[in-house]
Amino acid sequence: DAGVTQSPTHLIKTRGQHVTLRCSPISGHKSVSWYQQVLGQGPQFIFQYYEKEERGRGNFPDRFSARQFPNYSSELNVNALLLGDSALYLCASSLGLAGPAYNEQFFGPGTRLTVL
Amino acid sequence: EDQVTQSPEALRLQEGESSSLNCSYTVSGLRGLFWYRQDPGKGPEFLFTLYSAGEEKEKERLKATLTKKESFLHITAPKPEDSATYLCAVQAGNNFNKFYFGSGTKLNVKP
């Protein structure tokens, strides 16, 4: 079975540009979460979506936005890129929101974003 | 404020030398504590979920335990292939849609 997939694998952008990252969850999973991981740190929560609705938001500026599509795939958009946005962006999927096993998150390989 | 702290930051072991990693947490209403393994440049790989104090789970050389304030990941007779960063995360009851991660413990097992 296919796990969580993300595209692209790597991306290089310059300051001020816009970027879109994509994620496809495990088949049957309805929830997708996005995380930012800076080198040497644990993942920091950005968003969670369930059934196309935003269900959680971390402490990130409005330059960060996301959406979930009817097939449960998701996009993360970042506007006006800053050097500090350089990081590994991770997508995780789960069956649902709460309850044993429903909230276990499975991660994709990530997208490495470099902002120059 | 919800917080997760992992220790030590880094751990070097000889092959076969057992040890434990610690994850202490301060959250309002723990819904679940999760352990992940992460290899360099890759996404975290799910290992265990613990839901209540006293719970234990095992997988090969790894055993995870949970108390009301912390969790331990015990590694028995590690092998070089166990070298990775081990992350713990908690899901809090007051914001169950959010996972809080620690900074991880980087484990290096030498042959």
Side-chain angles (χ1 to χ4, degrees):
Chain A
D1 289 339
V4 178
T5 60
Q6 293 186 243
S7 63
T9 304
H10 296 89
L11 204 52
I12 299 176
K13 293 285 188 179
T14 57
R15 283 178 296 175
Q17 285 190 310
H18 164 271
V19 68
T20 297
L21 310 180
R22 295 177 175 83
C23 170
S24 292
I26 293 170
S27 178
H29 285 194
K30 297 182 177 182
S31 178
V32 170
S33 296
W34 286 96
Y35 293 82
Q36 180 195 68
Q37 187 176 26
V38 174
L39 196 62
Q41 299 292 321
Q44 296 295 311
F45 174 77
I46 308 176
F47 289 111
Q48 183 180 43
Y49 277 77
Y50 176 72
E51 291 284 13
K52 297 175 287 182
E53 291 188 6
E54 182 184 305
R55 296 303 186 101
R57 173 183 283 256
N59 296 323
F60 281 80
D62 292 342
R63 300 185 296 108
F64 289 77
S65 63
R67 55 179 176 169
Q68 186 177 33
F69 300 99
N71 66 354
Y72 303 110
S73 67
S74 178
E75 283 182 354
L76 175 70
N77 295 284
V78 187
N79 293 323
L81 286 167
L82 303 174
L83 295 179
D85 294 331
S86 294
L88 181 68
Y89 287 84
L90 295 162
C91 171
S93 76
S94 61
L95 284 169
L97 291 180
Y102 270 68
N103 53 11
E104 292 174 355
Q105 296 193 344
F106 296 86
F107 284 82
T111 293
R112 172 69 63 185
L113 172 65
T114 301
V115 182
L116 302 176
Chain B
E1 181 178 320
D2 297 330
Q3 193 169 3
V4 180
T5 303
Q6 290 189 248
S7 62
E9 290 185 8
L11 182 62
R12 298 180 71 178
L13 299 174
Q14 289 296 129
E15 184 173 1
E17 180 186 3
S18 301
S19 188
S20 297
L21 313 182
N22 178 263
C23 172
S24 62
Y25 60 90
T26 306
V27 295
S28 301
L30 180 72
R31 283 183 171 264
L33 187 142
F34 307 83
W35 282 98
Y36 290 86
R37 169 194 170 125
Q38 187 173 29
D39 293 302
K42 296 187 177 182
E45 174 190 346
F46 174 78
L47 293 174
F48 302 110
T49 310
L50 302 167
Y51 289 102
S52 57
E55 189 175 0
E56 299 182 351
K57 288 193 176 173
E58 289 188 66
K59 179 180 178 181
E60 297 180 353
R61 295 177 292 282
L62 301 177
K63 179 180 177 180
T65 62
L66 180 65
T67 72
K68 289 186 177 181
K69 293 185 177 181
E70 59 191 348
S71 176
F72 292 94
L73 184 65
H74 307 279
I75 303 178
T76 302
K79 298 181 178 181
E81 53 262 42
D82 294 324
S83 298
T85 294
Y86 290 85
L87 297 163
C88 82
V90 298
Q91 188 181 39
N94 64 342
N95 193 350
F96 67 88
N97 294 328
K98 186 173 179 179
F99 276 51
Y100 300 87
F101 275 86
S103 295
T105 293
K106 188 173 182 179
L107 175 65
N108 184 14
V109 182
K110 304 185 76 175

